[in-house]
Amino acid sequence: MSYDLIIKNGQTIDGKPIEIAINAGKIAKVSEKIEAESKQLIELDAGTYLSAGWIDDHVHCFEKMTLYYDFPDEIGVKKGVTTVIDAGTTGAENIHEFYDLAKEAKTNVHALINISKWGIVEQDELADLSKIKEELVHKALTELPDFVVGIKARMSKTVIGDNGITPLEMAKKIQKDNNNLPLMVHIGSAPPELDEILAHMSKGDVLTHCFNGKPNGILDQATDKIKDFAFAAYDKGIVFDIGHGTDSFNFHVAETALAQGMKAASISTDIYIRNRETGPVHDLATTMEKLRVVGYEWAEIIEKVTATPAENFHFDTKGHLKEGYDGDITIFKIEMGQKTLTDSNGFTREAKELIKPVKTIIGGTVYDN
């Protein structure tokens, strides 16, 4: 048997030896040892890890926007990330233009469609409820079924104006009327209050910015305890997603949650050009390092950027190193070092373990980092 690509001498994050063969963009064989011919061979240095391709489920990468934008390959393939999900930058009126641009990227690009028809053209896109057109969302979902993997509603004071919880109620109706597709909800300053938002969310819905340091977040700042209703939502199966962003990740909140028995389900960046270039986000690897200093194990960190987002957004052939799955692989090293990590509120922690992508493989094509 001859393959397009064989990766030899790898190990999984838990130290098990693994070799992978890829044919026609798909994983053809996974084994401790593969002895076969191949058109291309990668022999990894000792101590090099590989995993299913990393997925960042909250980015902003439609380059024609002005508020929040970036370029898919700058935050994707160049950073060890094989798949990105743009989280509501565009709505039904401009998502086709985004799709046409996204097809040109090396990185796999998908989108959550903003329930407001132009997306985040202005900060308050849900202040005018007439911009929420269910029939337009349905049309976009029908026309771009592989590209659009869910919907997005930003539920914080600067976005909703005087509309309270109504935009989320409208988002839930759109979700229900479209095969219960994935829904991501952004949280921030009140109104609406976080308990009301969580009360309207269902098991499997994604709550992004879960560890923000705002008074309307999950931490009661007077008692330094995670709020009871936040734990109830967590236990109900609402997906707590990092969504680091410029203003939405706080070390103390993440550490307190962990100490009290709550972990984020998925790790994402909310990256766009400004917080990539000037921080505090920089890239997905840096966000993963932050969860490591909080106290997460590397094995669960890798799961939270592979299997978990793949499951949450119904990627049936991503997130695992299995035969028949997409040939999307991230090859990386974990090195001892020193690095100051800064959260969204300017607080710092010192990392001693640094994760560094060395090669990104997308659909069987190899890119060096």
Side-chain angles (χ1 to χ4, degrees), residues 119-184:
I120 314 175
V121 176
E122 295 169 331
Q123 188 66 258
D124 61 347
E125 77 266 17
L126 294 178
D128 179 358
L129 295 180
S130 72
K131 292 179 181 174
I132 304 175
K133 301 287 189 189
E134 182 173 348
E135 67 278 9
L136 292 181
V137 175
H138 178 75
K139 186 169 182 283
L141 291 165
T142 304
E143 291 172 351
L144 301 172
D146 297 326
F147 181 60
V148 184
V149 296
I151 58 175
K152 173 81 180 287
R154 299 200 309 145
M155 295 299 297
S156 57
K157 179 173 65 175
T158 55
V159 181
I160 61 150
D162 298 325
N163 288 325
I165 204 69
T166 305
L168 181 54
E169 293 174 328
M170 296 172 80
K172 289 298 290 182
K173 182 177 186 304
I174 291 169
Q175 178 190 40
K176 182 183 175 190
D177 292 345
N178 289 276
N179 300 317
N180 206 36
L181 80 173
L183 165 67
M184 178 182 281

Side-chain angles (χ1 to χ4, degrees), residues 34-341:
I34 297 175
E35 300 296 342
E37 298 291 317
S38 64
K39 295 174 188 170
Q40 189 176 5
L41 178 67
I42 298 175
E43 293 205 53
L44 299 179
D45 299 335
T48 305
Y49 298 94
L50 55 81
S51 71
W54 296 352
I55 300 168
D56 190 342
D57 72 22
H58 185 162
V59 310
H60 294 282
C61 64
F62 178 43
E63 63 205 63
K64 294 198 171 183
M65 290 302 229
T66 54
L67 274 181
Y68 303 115
Y69 71 95
D70 211 325
F71 305 86
D73 290 339
E74 295 298 321
I75 60 179
V77 62
K78 292 183 180 181
K79 301 291 191 174
V81 177
T82 60
T83 299
V84 297
I85 302 177
D86 182 281
T89 311
T90 55
E93 295 283 11
N94 50 1
I95 198 162
H96 286 78
E97 187 179 9
F98 177 33
Y99 171 68
D100 290 338
L101 270 179
K103 281 189 298 186
E104 299 172 12
K106 296 167 184 170
T107 309
N108 299 310
V109 182
H110 296 274
L112 303 179
I113 187 170
N114 196 309
I115 61 169
S116 181
K117 65 180 182 176
W118 289 107
I120 314 175
V121 176
E122 295 169 331
Q123 188 66 258
D124 61 347
E125 77 266 17
L126 294 178
D128 179 358
L129 295 180
S130 72
K131 292 179 181 174
I132 304 175
K133 301 287 189 189
E134 182 173 348
E135 67 278 9
L136 292 181
V137 175
H138 178 75
K139 186 169 182 283
L141 291 165
T142 304
E143 291 172 351
L144 301 172
D146 297 326
F147 181 60
V148 184
V149 296
I151 58 175
K152 173 81 180 287
R154 299 200 309 145
M155 295 299 297
S156 57
K157 179 173 65 175
T158 55
V159 181
I160 61 150
D162 298 325
N163 288 325
I165 204 69
T166 305
L168 181 54
E169 293 174 328
M170 296 172 80
K172 289 298 290 182
K173 182 177 186 304
I174 291 169
Q175 178 190 40
K176 182 183 175 190
D177 292 345
N178 289 276
N179 300 317
N180 206 36
L181 80 173
L183 165 67
M184 178 182 281
V185 177
H186 144 124
I187 58 168
S189 299
E193 296 290 338
L194 181 58
D195 57 348
E196 189 177 14
I197 292 170
L198 290 171
H200 281 77
M201 294 177 69
S202 312
K203 179 180 180 179
D205 290 347
V206 178
L207 180 86
T208 196
H209 311 315
C210 66
F211 294 152
N212 73 56
K214 298 170 184 177
N216 194 41
I218 66 168
L219 182 69
D220 184 326
Q221 296 179 350
T223 64
D224 212 32
K225 303 267 193 226
I226 299 300
K227 297 169 183 174
D228 288 343
F229 66 78
F231 254 117
Y234 179 79
D235 292 339
K236 183 169 77 173
I238 291 173
V239 176
F240 280 46
D241 177 71
I242 294 293
H244 187 307
T246 305
D247 200 32
S248 298
F249 177 76
N250 179 279
F251 277 124
H252 178 70
V253 175
E255 290 160 348
T256 304
L258 180 62
Q260 294 177 20
M262 175 188 286
K263 291 178 178 176
S266 52
I267 297 172
S268 65
T269 59
D270 185 20
I271 198 168
Y272 65 102
I273 195 164
R274 192 178 82 207
N275 66 32
R276 168 170 64 83
E277 292 183 341
T278 62
V281 177
H282 300 296
D283 51 37
L284 182 59
T286 302
T287 303
M288 293 161 70
E289 290 165 350
K290 291 176 184 180
L291 273 295
R292 178 65 181 138
V293 300
V294 165
Y296 291 55
E297 298 297 328
W298 279 120
E300 59 185 341
I301 290 170
I302 295 298
E303 183 178 30
K304 293 174 191 301
V305 298
T306 56
T308 303
E311 179 182 352
N312 291 340
F313 292 99
H314 307 165
F315 293 136
D316 296 335
T317 57
K318 297 187 188 300
H320 298 274
L321 297 173
K322 290 182 179 178
E323 292 176 12
Y325 274 56
D326 294 349
D328 295 350
I329 295 170
T330 302
I331 298 173
F332 60 96
K333 293 185 175 182
I334 297 175
E335 300 173 350
M336 302 308 291
Q338 196 74 25
K339 181 177 176 183
T340 300
L341 301 173

